[in-house]
Amino acid sequence: MSRRVALVTGGTGGIGTAICRELTGRGCLVVANYLPELESQAKAWQQEQLADGIEVEIAPGDVSSFEGARAMIEDVEKRIGPVDILVNCAGITRDKTLRKMSEEQWREVMSTNLDSVFNVTRHVIEGMLERGFGRVINISSVNGQKGQFGQCNYASAKAGIHGFTMSLAQEAATKGVTVNSVSPGYVATAMTLAMPDEVREAIVAQVPMRRMGTPEEIAHVVGFLSSSKADYITGANIPVNGGLYMS
Ligand code: CAA
């Protein structure tokens, strides 16, 4: 069988990088999507992976735009091949209490974190259904399950991902395509490092395991969901949060 093509949006970010490395280790031909204006950083990132013996393709594209996502998928399919595994991992924060949140901060988060899931998946789903195989894995968040002070925008987008996941899972279930989400808790990446130290420390103190997660702990679960061992799992959400939220 030829190598599966795996596309990871936001693939050069903290969790995205670990996912790219996990899927490469599982024999996939991995493509990391990045924002076009971050071209030089993405190329440097690609070289860093190569220095560790990990070959990853890169693909520019603004996934918050339907047209940007369409052009990115066309480029990936032409250069590399049809996408078998899609990991929707692109995400940003614009934390503010609602009374201070601007419309722009709401829209930026909704378009990058939720619209992107539609924008990219819409352009790969038909091919997956026609070929009778596909894996869509959406990176949501513990805060999409429990809410979070200062994150009306982020928590709404991440909660929306669950509705998308369960709906598409039903549409694709008879066609060999599974659709699942993974909900990380607080993971040690640039995103959580950007939080005020005292706020982060107070949250970590509430995590039953009393520590943040590692990007690899998220990536292992994504790797499992992408594998044939997870054939009967669809429409599921897998929390990886050190016990921060139990349901
Ligand atoms: N619950 C209740 N009250 C809280 C609170 C909380 N969790 N956090 C802060 N407050 C209180 C403060 O004590 C303060 O009270 P006083 O006014 O009485 O002194 C007040 O709320 C501050 O409110 P402001 O509107 O002035 O807020 P701010 O501008 O000072 O900061 C914030 C608000 C930027 C949202 C800050 O609280 C913050 O960074 N919170 C963390 C948000 C967070 O968890 N982000 C996660 C980022 S990582 C990620 O998103 C990945 C993932 O998936 C987990």
Side-chain angles (χ1 to χ4, degrees):
M1 191 174 62
S2 59
R3 290 170 79 191
R4 300 269 193 222
V5 173
L7 171 65
V8 183
T9 73
T12 61
I15 293 178
T17 299
I19 293 172
C20 288
R21 294 169 73 103
E22 169 78 26
L23 295 179
T24 304
R26 286 175 174 266
C28 297
L29 212 171
V30 176
V31 189
N33 152 256
Y34 64 94
L35 257 183
E37 53 261 42
L38 301 180
E39 172 105 0
S40 56
Q41 289 96 318
K43 286 195 166 147
W45 175 90
Q46 187 181 32
Q47 288 310 311
E48 278 169 33
Q49 306 313 309
L50 204 52
D52 287 345
I54 293 168
E55 267 184 68
V56 187
E57 299 285 339
I58 54 174
D62 179 355
V63 294
S64 70
S65 134
F66 189 67
E67 188 44 39
R70 190 199 59 72
M72 188 262 293
I73 296 297
E74 196 178 279
D75 166 50
V76 168
E77 292 191 335
K78 204 153 75 189
R79 277 195 296 132
I80 296 146
V83 175
D84 301 303
I85 299 165
L86 168 64
V87 184
N88 284 306
C89 185
I92 58 169
T93 52
R94 296 289 181 266
D95 296 349
K96 282 276 178 222
T97 49
L98 187 67
R99 62 195 192 133
K100 293 183 184 170
M101 189 179 291
S102 66
E103 186 187 0
E104 190 187 11
Q105 287 165 336
W106 170 265
R107 295 218 179 281
E108 279 180 324
V109 169
M110 293 306 283
S111 63
T112 302
N113 297 14
L114 182 59
D115 292 356
S116 64
V117 175
F118 167 76
N119 293 340
V120 181
T121 312
R122 178 65 185 87
H123 291 110
V124 300
I125 191 68
E126 274 173 73
M128 287 180 176
L129 296 172
E130 277 161 21
R131 292 189 300 277
F133 178 85
R135 293 279 185 267
V136 178
I137 302 158
N138 298 320
I139 306 302
S140 181
S141 165
V142 65
N143 292 343
Q145 298 177 281
K146 70 167 191 55
Q148 171 61 31
F149 186 100
Q151 288 202 308
C152 285
N153 49 4
Y154 186 89
S156 301
K158 294 298 191 180
I161 287 179
H162 297 305
F164 180 97
T165 300
M166 293 184 286
S167 303
L168 184 59
Q170 292 177 34
E171 295 178 19
T174 60
K175 310 281 188 210
V177 178
T178 66
V179 188
N180 294 291
S181 61
V182 175
S183 288
Y186 283 75
V187 175
T189 64
M191 185 181 273
T192 48
L193 264 182
M195 297 167 67
D197 289 346
E198 63 284 5
V199 175
R200 190 180 51 251
E201 282 157 19
I203 289 172
V204 173
Q206 291 164 23
V207 177
M209 289 192 187
R210 302 283 188 270
R211 67 169 178 89
M212 299 222 273
T214 66
E216 290 71 26
E217 286 171 324
I218 309 305
H220 293 322
V221 177
V222 173
F224 167 67
L225 287 173
S226 75
S227 76
S228 58
K229 298 264 165 39
D231 275 351
Y232 200 55
I233 302 177
T234 199
N237 174 55
I238 317 279
V240 189
N241 63 29
L244 180 57
Y245 181 75
M246 303 178 186
S247 60

